Amino acid sequence: MSEDRSKIFARADEVLNLFKRGAEFTKELIQENERLRRSLVDIEMRQTFAAQDPDQWDKLREELLQRIKSLEAERQSSLERLRTLEEENRQFATRHVEIEEENNILANLYVASFQLHSTLDLSEVVKVVMEIVINLVGAETLAIYLMDEKTNSLQAVASEGMNLSSFPPVALRSGVIGGAVALGQTVCAEGSGDHSVNSPLVCIPLRVQDRPIGAIAIYKLLQQKESFAPLDHELFTLLGGHAATAIFSARLYSQSERKRNTIQGVIDLLTNKPGQR
């Protein structure tokens, strides 16, 4: 999860930089206000002297008009900078909300990843993967395929939104699902409507190094989720890696347990004495 932490730290630095820019601009406004206050005091003093000397009034009046124009230009510039700062603050507030949502999703993914690797029961691992896809990605209809090395095809082992029997086996390198698993590339189609069992909305390949393990196929999103966000594509990558490793470990453990039980049975048969039968 070091990559997830680096992303969180990078986003924290982005937030701190925005705060610093706001503080610097506020400091500049305070300094400018102080300068204008001193200028006003100076003008008031000169106006008092000019009132005592009528010959200086026209000259002071011209200076005041020029000063007013200059101040108006400075005011417009300050207003423009203020509008820019307000827009940056609005963007910052929006980004802050997005970061909060992303952090919540990453935290949930961290917990889910821990659950994935906390069991070696294949059915439990598949169940956790289903929950992650439903809760974090927002899938309504999906299926999980596992590689059957005997037939060299992908078999659906779990589904949501449709009966498991609705998903036929898929040969490796065949169609969208078989091709995605063979190439190890996530496939994401346009649109968020219903998709056929052979053409999912998203297909996330599950691979350990160059070994195909299975696939996660998403066919329909929840009603409140209109489209995928950039964070979803990061989730696809993280989910593909974690799910593939967890499923691979669970299958290895299951195979080793069967072999151990077989060997133990043979040993028990060989060590049993005739009189003990």
Side-chain angles (χ1 to χ4, degrees):
M1 299 303 293
S2 60
E3 182 179 351
D4 297 341
R5 292 183 178 177
S6 299
K7 292 180 180 178
I8 293 175
F9 288 143
R11 290 166 181 155
D13 290 338
E14 179 183 345
V15 172
L16 289 175
N17 289 332
L18 286 174
F19 271 124
K20 289 179 180 179
R21 291 181 61 186
E24 292 173 357
F25 183 68
T26 302
K27 183 179 179 181
E28 292 177 4
L29 287 178
I30 293 174
Q31 293 174 346
E32 180 66 14
N33 184 64
E34 180 63 23
R35 186 182 67 81
L36 292 176
R37 188 187 65 80
R38 290 195 298 268
S39 298
L40 181 60
V41 172
D42 181 61
I43 291 172
E44 289 176 348
M45 292 178 61
R46 295 178 64 184
Q47 185 177 7
T48 301
F49 292 141
Q52 298 174 358
D53 185 2
D55 294 337
Q56 298 294 323
W57 177 251
D58 291 339
K59 181 179 179 181
L60 178 60
R61 180 174 176 276
E62 184 65 25
E63 291 179 357
L64 288 174
L65 290 174
Q66 293 296 329
R67 185 58 178 164
I68 289 172
K69 292 180 180 179
S70 176
L71 290 174
E72 180 63 22
E74 292 178 2
R75 186 181 74 87
Q76 292 296 334
S77 176
S78 297
L79 288 175
E80 183 64 28
R81 294 177 64 190
L82 181 60
R83 283 191 289 267
T84 301
L85 182 61
E86 289 176 346
E87 177 63 20
E88 290 179 354
N89 287 339
R90 186 189 64 78
Q91 294 176 357
F92 161 74
T94 302
R95 183 56 181 159
H96 179 71
V97 173
E98 293 175 353
I99 290 174
E100 284 293 323
E101 294 176 351
E102 292 174 2
N103 287 342
N104 289 335
I105 292 176
L106 289 174
N108 292 333
L109 180 61
Y110 177 80
V111 174
S113 299
F114 176 79
Q115 293 175 340
L116 271 177
H117 299 289
S118 65
T119 179
L120 290 173
D121 187 312
L122 182 58
S123 62
E124 286 296 319
V125 172
V126 171
K127 181 180 178 181
V128 173
V129 173
M130 294 279 290
E131 292 176 351
I132 294 175
V133 179
I134 293 171
N135 297 326
L136 297 187
V137 179
E140 181 176 341
T141 304
L142 69 145
I144 295 180
Y145 292 83
L146 293 184
M147 186 69 188
D148 186 345
E149 296 182 354
K150 293 181 180 179
T151 61
N152 200 35
S153 64
L154 297 160
Q155 306 283 338
V157 297
S159 66
E160 178 70 24
M162 292 176 63
N163 292 330
L164 187 60
S165 58
S166 302
F167 302 95
V170 178
L172 189 64
R173 298 183 178 85
S174 174
V176 175
I177 299 174
V181 175
L183 296 176
Q185 296 178 353
T186 298
V187 176
C188 186
E190 297 294 333
S192 58
D194 293 309
H195 287 252
S196 67
V197 293
N198 295 320
S199 181
L201 175 63
V202 175
C203 182
I204 305 170
L206 304 179
R207 294 169 63 93
V208 173
Q209 294 182 347
D210 293 331
R211 181 173 183 172
I213 303 299
I216 301 172
I218 300 174
Y219 296 93
K220 184 180 180 182
L221 299 177
L222 295 173
Q223 186 176 2
Q224 62 268 26
K225 189 178 182 71
E226 297 180 355
S227 60
F228 291 115
L231 181 62
D232 289 323
H233 296 279
E234 296 182 23
L235 285 175
F236 295 158
T237 302
L238 293 173
L239 181 58
H242 284 289
T245 303
I247 291 173
F248 182 69
S249 300
R251 296 185 79 173
L252 281 181
Y253 176 76
S254 177
Q255 293 171 5
S256 65
E257 278 295 293
R258 286 198 298 269
K259 291 179 179 178
R260 187 184 69 82
N261 292 334
T262 301
I263 294 173
Q264 186 63 47
V266 172
I267 293 174
D268 291 341
L269 288 174
L270 293 175
T271 56
N272 282 337
K273 296 180 179 179
Q276 294 178 330
R277 295 185 177 182

